[in-house]
Amino acid sequence: MTTHRPPDTRRDALRVWRAAVLALAASGAVLVAGLVLGGSVTEKVIPGLGDAGTLTRWGLPASRTAMDLLSALTVGALLAAAAFLPIEGGRGSARLSKDAVSYLHAASWFAAAWGAAAAATLVFTVADVLGQPVGQVLTGSELSSYVGSLPQGTALMIVVLLAVVVALLARTTTTPATAFGLLALAGIALFPAPLTGHSASAANHSVATTGVALHVAAVAPWVGGLAVVGVHALLRRDGLPVMATRFSRMALWCYVTVGASGLVNVIARLPDPAELVDTNYGRLALGKMIAFGALGLFGYWHRERTLPALAAGKPWSFARFASVEVAVMAAAVGLAVALARTAPPAPTESESAIKALLGYDMPPEVTPARLATLWQLDLFFAVLVVVLGGLYLAGIVRLRKRGDSWPMGRTVAWFVGLLAIVVVTETGVAKYAPILFSVHMAQHMVLNMLAPIFLVIGAPVTLALRALRPARVRGDLGPREWLTAMLHSRYLAVIAHPAVATVIFVVSTFALYFTPLFQSAMRNHLGHVAMMAHFLASGCLFFWVLLGVDPAPKRLPYPGRLLLLFVTMPFHAFFGIALMNLSQPLARGWYATVDPPWGTTVLHDQHTGGAIAWAFGEVPTFIVLIVLAFQWYMDDQRQARRLDRKADRAAAPGGRAEDDELAVYNARLAKLAERDRAVPHQREPEEKDTEKTGTEAKDAEKAGTEKTDTENKGADKDGEAAP
């Protein structure tokens, strides 16, 4: 039996501060060494050119390092509160534990410091770009004038605003859902700053930009999560084995993502492997690879040694080892900042204007064969397809191991949808789509109106609900519980309402193409990815409401689904007709710049795109009609089988007759028929009495008439006798 010593708050806090100082020292030392070796702080000042000064040369990387470390700590604290620590109270009254609330408060302080570091980085960035000292930038009007015009300035301003929002809200929340919302908000704030650096100007900027986004999305939770778990161990708080186990699972995926995305970034900037040792940028990148390998060894040691030690009641082995690992991670962060301040080697060949815009040279004249064979890697959608396909297969494998089955038709439909995404994002279609509007429109139609049909039929949510296990800790919220809560959330009830989903599906298309948004999205790779992701997401939302295989907040009856289909699809035909009737081209500036020498006029190509939009609507309509007819037929069959089973149970010994709905209905019909047969017999005596009464009345009337006539005749005789 393991005995625990009583906690010593001061000693534990001292250990935390000691580990923090060690991490900061490692990060600062590596940052200084990287800046000196990379040459970014030893550049010669050319007379006549502006010089930002020594303060900016050292202050900018220092503030950037602080910003990166504080952002990771903010994300790590929010992760600990929302995911690493068990939730208390269960699904009905879920609440954060006392330790989780304390990490939310810590995240508030970290986020406030993150915002301050981002503001300092903003000032230094403006000074560096303008070549002016910091004092002159602060006292003059340059800061307010250039923040909105510089991409880096706008990005950092967004980071400041989001960090302040997280800092304010983290002080007042105590619910798991709000903690996850703050985690998502902090995750969004990670991306603007790094995506406006070297990745936006790399030779293959589409791959580099996505690679940097994946890199940042994996590094922050990895570094911040380990730091917070280490603090939890040093403070000797409860729940450390659960936290460490959950972090270890996440860290494995973060490690794989960091390695893959880092390799992609190095290849995008250093196409020649010899540049790893011949250039300053390459040598720093090589040092970062070595640090990455060391962190992999640390992770292996954790899984093999320290986690079993935690299970055996020995938390100090994990705490000491985690402190050293956090120091190595902080050093890697400092090295990454030094790498970002070092310019990559210039390309050996001159770059054309088209390649600067697209990331590749102008392709040859478009043909069907080239659309199929000129592959063009889009890293975002490649990763998306791999992740979606892998998760789906993992769910099927888990069901099979459990002895359950999964319909083959749904699996085929899911992978047909993924194949449709690959066809329009990784082949020659993706290469010609930024150049020819007609090819772009075909890409749009497939992503928005074809691939979502098959993805929805694949029923991924149903598969996830069946494959995911309930939370191991009683009252906690695991992935299955969070998915269920999301399906019952108010947000999903609003956005998945048939009217709202239809408006998003229809109106967003007109709002995108007939406003300046389209040209802005085409000029920026992130905007282009966001545009295509919106096409896919809005299509999945609409066809989820229409085809409804997975659970939904509101399910339409089949006549209502048919009506919704026939009401919605003509709008895409109207959209195509509007494009065919254009007198001025859309996104004139973009298409005039990338206009191929072998192509037709921009306006004629856009008319062709309108014709594609007008004609393509028939294909998904036909597919949806077939699917709806099949679903309707199968639903009727299920209802019939359900009634048959109910009737069999009612007829079995001990069954209740009232449970047989068909028998009850037939008995009711028989009772009504028997009543109808009984009514005429009851009316026959009454009718005879009525006839008899009428005859007697006629006889009485006739007798009275005869009597009156006799009396009148007697009166006449008396009258004649009187005179």
Side-chain angles (χ1 to χ4, degrees):
M1 180 177 178
T2 304
T3 59
H4 297 279
R5 295 178 300 172
D8 188 342
T9 306
R10 293 183 60 185
R11 182 180 299 176
D12 295 341
L14 182 61
R15 290 193 181 97
V16 172
W17 282 107
R18 189 182 303 162
V21 170
L22 175 64
L24 288 176
S27 179
V30 173
L31 173 64
V32 171
L35 292 174
V36 173
L37 294 176
S40 59
V41 294
T42 58
E43 295 178 349
K44 294 182 179 180
V45 179
I46 301 175
L49 295 180
D51 181 21
T54 304
L55 179 60
T56 300
R57 280 195 293 273
W58 288 99
L60 179 56
S63 63
R64 185 61 182 266
T65 303
M67 186 178 72
D68 291 346
L69 289 174
L70 289 167
S71 65
L73 289 174
T74 303
V75 171
L78 292 173
L79 268 173
F84 291 166
L85 287 171
I87 305 298
E88 296 180 351
R91 179 179 171 185
S93 58
R95 64 182 183 276
L96 297 176
S97 63
K98 182 179 178 181
D99 288 338
V101 173
S102 69
Y103 286 127
L104 270 183
H105 293 166
S108 175
W109 289 107
F110 288 142
W114 177 16
T121 305
L122 173 61
V123 175
F124 286 124
T125 299
V126 174
D128 184 59
V129 172
L130 298 180
Q132 297 179 359
V134 173
Q136 184 177 345
V137 171
L138 290 175
T139 56
S141 60
E142 288 83 359
L143 187 62
S144 59
S145 301
Y146 284 90
V147 165
S149 58
L150 291 174
Q152 300 94 328
T154 305
L156 289 169
M157 183 57 68
I158 294 173
V159 173
V160 171
L161 294 175
L162 292 178
V164 169
V165 172
V166 173
L168 293 176
L169 295 181
R171 300 291 302 178
T172 59
T173 183
T174 57
T175 61
T178 310
F180 260 106
L182 292 177
L183 177 61
L185 196 62
I188 294 172
L190 294 173
F191 297 105
L195 293 181
T196 54
H198 290 155
S199 61
S201 58
N204 193 352
H205 55 266
S206 62
V207 174
T209 301
T210 306
V212 168
L214 292 173
H215 201 74
V216 171
V219 166
W222 185 22
V223 176
L226 179 62
V228 174
V229 174
V231 168
H232 197 88
L234 291 173
L235 295 177
R236 290 185 287 180
R237 292 181 175 178
D238 296 332
L240 178 60
V242 176
M243 283 189 71
T245 302
R246 294 181 177 182
F247 167 76
S248 179
R249 293 172 186 166
M250 183 198 72
L252 176 61
W253 292 105
C254 290
Y255 185 81
V256 173
T257 305
V258 168
S261 59
L263 183 62
V264 167
N265 292 329
V266 169
I267 294 174
R269 294 173 177 83
L270 302 175
D272 186 1
E275 293 176 333
L276 281 173
V277 294
D278 294 341
T279 63
N280 292 332
Y281 188 91
R283 286 188 286 270
L284 291 179
L286 190 60
K288 193 177 176 183
M289 293 179 188
I290 295 173
F292 175 76
L295 290 173
L297 294 177
F298 277 104
Y300 174 78
W301 188 275
H302 271 305
R303 296 179 70 88
E304 295 296 322
R305 300 292 181 88
T306 59
L307 290 182
L310 277 178
K314 301 176 181 179
W316 284 111
S317 59
F318 176 86
R320 289 192 296 267
F321 201 74
S323 300
V324 178
E325 186 178 3
V326 168
V328 175
M329 282 185 170
V333 171
L335 185 58
V337 173
L339 186 65
R341 290 292 297 162
T342 304
T348 57
E349 300 178 357
S350 59
E351 189 176 73
S352 63
I354 295 297
K355 189 172 183 179
L357 289 173
L358 302 177
Y360 52 89
D361 292 318
M362 178 67 70
E365 184 175 0
V366 61
T367 61
R370 287 170 179 159
L371 287 174
T373 57
L374 291 181
W375 287 77
Q376 177 66 32
L377 176 64
D378 190 309
L379 186 58
F380 175 83
F381 283 99
V383 171
L384 180 66
V385 168
V386 170
V387 170
L388 293 179
L391 291 176
Y392 199 91
L393 288 177
I396 295 176
V397 169
R398 177 171 288 186
L399 289 183
R400 295 289 173 83
K401 288 183 177 179
R402 204 167 60 197
D404 296 335
S405 61
W406 182 252
M408 180 59 67
R410 292 182 179 178
T411 304
V412 172
W414 178 258
F415 283 97
V416 168
L418 295 182
L419 179 62
I421 296 175
V422 171
V423 167
V424 296
T425 60
E426 311 296 331
T427 63
V429 175
K431 187 178 285 290
Y432 285 96
I435 302 170
L436 297 175
F437 182 83
S438 55
V439 180
H440 164 82
M441 186 52 59
Q443 185 184 52
H444 172 187
M445 291 292 108
V446 172
L447 288 175
N448 191 232
M449 301 179 66
L450 188 61
I453 296 176
F454 296 98
L455 294 178
V456 167
I457 297 173
V461 177
T462 302
L463 176 62
L465 290 174
R466 291 183 59 185
L468 291 173
R469 299 186 181 97
R472 295 182 179 180
V473 180
R474 185 176 180 85
D476 193 14
L477 299 179
R480 191 180 191 279
E481 288 76 15
W482 279 112
L483 179 59
T484 305
M486 185 178 65
L487 290 174
H488 293 86
S489 65
R490 296 180 182 177
Y491 170 77
L492 197 64
V494 172
I495 200 172
H497 190 278
V500 177
T502 303
V503 169
I504 295 174
F505 184 67
V506 174
V507 175
S508 61
T509 300
F510 288 88
L512 173 68
Y513 285 100
F514 295 109
T515 63
L517 284 175
F518 178 56
Q519 178 160 298
S520 300
M522 295 300 292
R523 286 188 174 276
N524 185 276
H525 174 68
L526 289 177
H528 187 257
V529 170
M531 175 176 60
M532 293 195 296
H534 170 75
F535 292 155
L536 184 63
S538 62
C540 288
L541 178 64
F542 175 74
F543 287 108
W544 177 34
V545 173
L546 195 63
L547 299 178
V549 177
D550 284 325
K554 184 177 180 60
R555 191 178 297 275
L556 285 174
Y558 285 100
R561 299 184 191 187
L562 288 175
L563 179 62
L564 182 63
L565 174 66
F566 289 123
V567 168
T568 304
M569 288 307 172
F571 284 99
H572 281 82
F574 298 154
F575 170 70
I577 294 172
L579 290 177
M580 288 189 287
N581 291 327
L582 286 175
S583 58
Q584 297 292 331
L586 301 173
R588 179 196 295 270
W590 170 259
Y591 285 107
T593 305
V594 298
D595 188 23
W598 39 260
T600 181
T601 63
V602 175
L603 190 59
H604 184 270
D605 182 61
Q606 292 188 355
H607 289 169
T608 304
I612 292 174
W614 174 73
F616 194 90
E618 304 296 332
V619 177
T621 302
F622 179 70
I623 296 175
V624 170
L625 283 175
I626 294 177
V627 173
L628 280 178
F630 178 77
Q631 289 182 345
W632 201 343
Y633 171 77
M634 294 302 297
D635 184 67
D636 288 342
Q637 294 297 312
R638 283 192 296 269
Q639 293 292 337
R641 289 194 296 269
R642 184 181 65 83
L643 292 176
D644 290 342
R645 289 194 299 268
K646 200 169 184 180
D648 293 339
R649 288 195 299 268
R656 297 187 307 172
E658 58 269 18
D659 289 341
D660 189 351
E661 297 180 4
L662 184 59
V664 172
Y665 180 71
N666 290 334
R668 182 183 178 188
L669 291 179
K671 187 176 181 181
L672 291 175
E674 183 179 354
R675 183 183 300 173
D676 290 340
R677 287 195 300 269
V679 167
H681 296 291
Q682 295 175 358
R683 290 181 178 179
E684 185 176 354
E686 297 178 357
E687 292 174 355
K688 290 181 178 180
D689 293 341
T690 304
E691 292 175 359
K692 181 178 180 181
T693 304
T695 304
E696 292 176 348
K698 290 180 180 179
D699 293 341
E701 183 180 359
K702 183 177 180 181
T705 303
E706 293 177 350
K707 182 179 179 181
T708 304
D709 292 342
T710 305
E711 292 176 351
N712 290 336
K713 288 180 180 180
D716 291 341
K717 291 179 179 179
D718 294 341
E720 292 176 357

